[in-house]
C-alpha cells in the first residue's frame, strides 16, 4: 500500500512539473521579462511564492524587488516563522507597506511579530512607510523597535500594555515621521497614552475608536498639542460636551470627526460643532443624548459638509426634510445605518 501511495505521489509531481514546463514554453512563458513582472504584480504574496517554484526563470523574476513594495499578509494570518521567511527571502529597501494579522484570542499560542522581526525590518527596509498590524499581542514588544521611517501606523484591535508609547516623549528617534495613527479597538489606551502620543506634532490622522478609557482630559491634551489634525475619530470614547469645546477651539483644520456612540454628548455641544467650519464628514451615529432641533442647526451651520450621519437619533420626518434642505448640495445624509462613518483614507 505504501509503495502504491508513493508511486501515485511521484506521478502527481511529475504531472505538475510537465504542466509547469508546458506553461513556461508557451507564448505566455516567452513574454519579455518586464511584461511578466507587470503581470506578477497582480498576484498576492502566496501566489508569488508558488510561481517562484515553477522554474528558475520565474523564480528570478519573482525576486524582483518591485514585486515586494506593498505586501498584505493579513488574510493568511501567518505565524512568526513564516513572517521571518518572507522578510529574509523577499524584503528589501523597496518595501513601502506591510500588513499583518496576529493571533490575539486565538487557540494557537503564537504571534506574527517580535522585537527581532521589527528590528530586522528597520534595518532591511529603511523606506517602509506603512505598517498595519491587527489583533496582535504587543505586551512583549517595545515601541523603540518600530521602524523610524514609518509615517502610518495602524494597530487595530491589538493588546498594548499601559504607557506603551512612553518612549516617544523622551526619544525623538521613535516614530519621528508619524502622521497617521490608528489605535481603534486598543481598549487599554488611556489619557496617559494620549499624553505620550502627542509628542509627535505632525500627526494629521488619529483614530481612537472604541478606546473607552480616553476621556475629556486626554482629548483636551491632544487638541492643544496636535494642531495639524485633519481626522479625529473618537467613536465609543467616554467623552462629554467639554471635549467638543476643546476640539472646536483648537483644531481649526479638522475635516473628519467621528463621534459615534459617544452617548454622554448632549445638545449643549451643538454650539461647538456649529463653529467648525472646515468639517466635511461628521458622524453622530447613536449619539442619542441629542435631539432633532439642535441637529438641524448643525446641518444649517456647516457649509462644507459632504457626509452627515445622524442615525440612532430620534428625528421626525419633518426635521429630516429640514436637515436635507439645510445641508450643502451633494451632501450624503444618513438617517438609518449601522455604519458610523465610512473609512477615510490617508
Amino acid at each position: 500500500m505504501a509503495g502504491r501511495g508513493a508511486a501515485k505521489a511521484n506521478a502527481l509531481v511529475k504531472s505538475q512539473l510537465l504542466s509547469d514546463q508546458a506553461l513556461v514554453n508557451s507564448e505566455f512563458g516567452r513574454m519579455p521579462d518586464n511584461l511578466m513582472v507587470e503581470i506578477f504584480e497582480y498576484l498576492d504574496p502566496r501566489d508569488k511564492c508558488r510561481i517562484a517554484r515553477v522554474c528558475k526563470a520565474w523564480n528570478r523574476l519573482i525576486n524582483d524587488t518591485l514585486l515586494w513594495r506593498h505586501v498584505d499578509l493579513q488574510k493568511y494570518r501567518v505565524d512568526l516563522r513564516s513572517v521571518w521567511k518572507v522578510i529574509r527571502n523577499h524584503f528589501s529597501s523597496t518595501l513601502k507597506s506591510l500588513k499583518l494579522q496576529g493571533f490575539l484570542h486565538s487557540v494557537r499560542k503564537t504571534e506574527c511579530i517580535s522585537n527581532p522581526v521589527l528590528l530586522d525590518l528597520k534595518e532591511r527596509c529603511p523606506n517602509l512607510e506603512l505598517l498595519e498590524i491587527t489583533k496582535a499581542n504587543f505586551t512583549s514588544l517595545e515601541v523603540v523597535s518600530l521602524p523610524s521611517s514609518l509615517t502610518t501606523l495602524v494597530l487595530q484591535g491589538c493588546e498594548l500594555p499601559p504607557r506603551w508609547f512612553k518612549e516617544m516623549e523622551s526619544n525623538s528617534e521613535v516614530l519621528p515621521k508619524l502622521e497617521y495613527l490608528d489605535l481603534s479597538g486598543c481598549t487599554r489606551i488611556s489619557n496617559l497614552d494620549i499624553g505620550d502620543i502627542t509628542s509627535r506634532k505632525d500627526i494629521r490622522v488619529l483614530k481612537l475608536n472604541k478606546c473607552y478609557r480616553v476621556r475629556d482630559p486626554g482629548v483636551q491634551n491632544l487638541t492643544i498639542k496636535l494642531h495639524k489634525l485633519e481626522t479625529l475619530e473618537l467613536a465609543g470614547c467616554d467623552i462629554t460636551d467639554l471635549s467638543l469645546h476643546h476640539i472646536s477651539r483648537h483644531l481649526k483644520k479638522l475635516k473628519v470627526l467621528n463621534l459615534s456612540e459617544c452617548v454622554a454628548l448632549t445638545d449643549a455641544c451643538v454650539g461647538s460643532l456649529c463653529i467648525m467650519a472646515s468639517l466635511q464628514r461628521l458622524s453622530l451615529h447613536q449619539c442619542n443624548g441629542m435631539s432633532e432641533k439642535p441637529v438641524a442647526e448643525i446641518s444649517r451651520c456647516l457649509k462644507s459638509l459632504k457626509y452627515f450621519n445622524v442615525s440612532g437619533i430620534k428625528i421626525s420626518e419633518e426635521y429630516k426634510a429640514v436637515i436635507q434642505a439645510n445641508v450643502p448640495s451633494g451632501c450624503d445624509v444618513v438617517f438609518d445605518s449601522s455604519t458610523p462613518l465610512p473609512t477615510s483614507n490617508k
Side-chain angles (χ1 to χ4, degrees):
M1 291 294 290
R4 287 200 297 271
K8 185 176 181 181
N10 287 332
L12 286 172
V13 170
K14 185 178 291 185
S15 174
Q16 183 63 47
L17 289 174
L18 288 173
S19 62
D20 290 343
Q21 191 60 43
L23 180 61
V24 171
N25 293 331
S26 67
E27 290 294 329
F28 178 77
R30 292 196 293 270
M31 292 176 65
D33 286 358
N34 62 318
L35 292 181
M36 295 290 287
V37 169
E38 286 187 27
I39 292 171
F40 290 162
E41 274 194 280
Y42 291 95
L43 299 177
D44 60 29
R46 177 175 290 179
D47 288 335
K48 288 176 185 175
C49 292
R50 288 172 176 167
I51 285 290
R53 296 196 294 267
V54 171
C55 64
K56 290 182 179 179
W58 285 17
N59 182 279
R60 174 179 57 81
L61 292 177
I62 285 297
N63 285 317
D64 190 312
T65 56
L66 294 177
L67 294 178
W68 299 92
R69 292 177 295 182
H70 304 284
V71 179
D72 185 353
L73 298 172
Q74 285 187 337
K75 67 179 180 179
Y76 306 118
R77 215 175 192 185
V78 294
D79 59 19
L80 193 58
R81 182 180 179 183
S82 299
V83 171
W84 266 118
K85 189 174 181 180
V86 173
I87 290 175
R88 289 174 172 173
N89 289 340
H90 301 293
F91 287 3
S92 68
S93 60
T94 60
L95 183 70
K96 294 290 187 181
S97 68
L98 174 62
K99 298 181 180 181
L100 300 167
Q101 181 177 186
F103 294 83
L104 192 64
H105 309 309
S106 170
V107 294
R108 293 182 63 183
K109 302 300 181 182
T110 185
E111 259 308 333
C112 67
I113 202 73
S114 67
N115 280 316
V117 165
L118 289 173
L119 291 171
D120 193 26
L121 275 174
K122 181 185 290 189
E123 182 177 352
R124 191 184 297 266
C125 311
N127 298 308
L128 181 63
E129 296 177 352
L130 182 152
L131 179 62
E132 179 175 323
I133 304 175
T134 60
K135 301 177 183 177
N137 190 335
F138 274 68
T139 53
S140 63
L141 304 182
E142 298 176 352
V143 70
V144 294
S145 300
L146 291 171
S148 56
S149 57
L150 293 178
T151 60
T152 299
L153 179 62
V154 178
L155 302 177
Q156 290 182 357
C158 292
E159 184 172 331
L160 303 177
R163 301 298 302 277
W164 192 71
F165 293 97
K166 64 181 179 182
E167 291 292 332
M168 291 177 66
E169 190 169 12
S170 58
N171 188 345
S172 61
E173 295 183 2
V174 178
L175 301 174
K177 302 178 180 180
L178 192 62
E179 297 180 1
Y180 185 117
L181 180 60
D182 186 350
L183 300 174
S184 298
C186 298
T187 55
R188 297 182 73 177
I189 293 294
S190 69
N191 291 339
L192 292 175
D193 297 288
I194 299 300
D196 299 328
I197 291 166
T198 54
S199 59
R200 296 299 171 264
K201 310 297 184 184
D202 290 330
I203 294 178
R204 300 175 185 276
V205 176
L206 181 58
K207 299 185 179 184
L208 300 169
N209 301 316
K210 306 299 181 182
C211 297
Y212 61 84
R213 300 176 195 268
V214 174
R215 298 184 172 91
D216 291 335
V219 174
Q220 179 181 4
N221 193 358
L222 72 87
T223 60
I224 292 172
K225 296 179 180 179
L226 300 181
H227 294 293
K228 294 184 179 181
L229 271 183
E230 296 179 2
T231 294
L232 179 59
E233 299 197 7
L234 299 169
C237 292
D238 187 13
I239 61 173
T240 69
D241 301 328
L242 181 60
S243 287
L244 269 295
H245 167 74
H246 294 298
I247 291 171
S248 64
R249 181 181 178 187
H250 298 288
L251 301 182
K252 301 300 183 183
K253 297 181 180 180
L254 201 64
K255 297 178 181 178
V256 178
L257 181 59
N258 187 355
L259 300 172
S260 302
E261 301 175 17
C262 293
V263 295
L265 296 180
T266 71
D267 291 341
C269 74
V270 170
S272 299
L273 286 170
C274 284
I275 63 173
M276 300 179 68
S278 61
L279 270 189
Q280 297 179 7
R281 306 176 73 82
L282 173 62
S283 179
L284 300 175
H285 171 70
Q286 293 294 345
C287 292
N288 41 35
M290 303 181 69
S291 54
E292 59 184 9
K293 186 174 181 179
V295 168
E297 180 64 13
I298 295 171
S299 68
R300 185 185 68 82
C301 294
L302 299 182
K303 302 299 184 183
S304 299
L305 272 186
K306 297 179 180 179
Y307 177 88
F308 189 31
N309 191 331
V310 292
S311 57
I313 301 175
K314 292 183 179 179
I315 300 177
S316 65
E317 292 300 320
E318 176 187 356
Y319 269 96
K320 285 181 181 179
V322 171
I323 291 170
Q324 288 281 19
N326 283 343
V327 296
S329 176
C331 177
D332 182 15
V333 182
V334 180
F335 294 107
D336 184 16
S337 172
S338 59
T339 304
L341 190 70
T343 302
S344 53
N345 297 322
K346 183 175 179 290

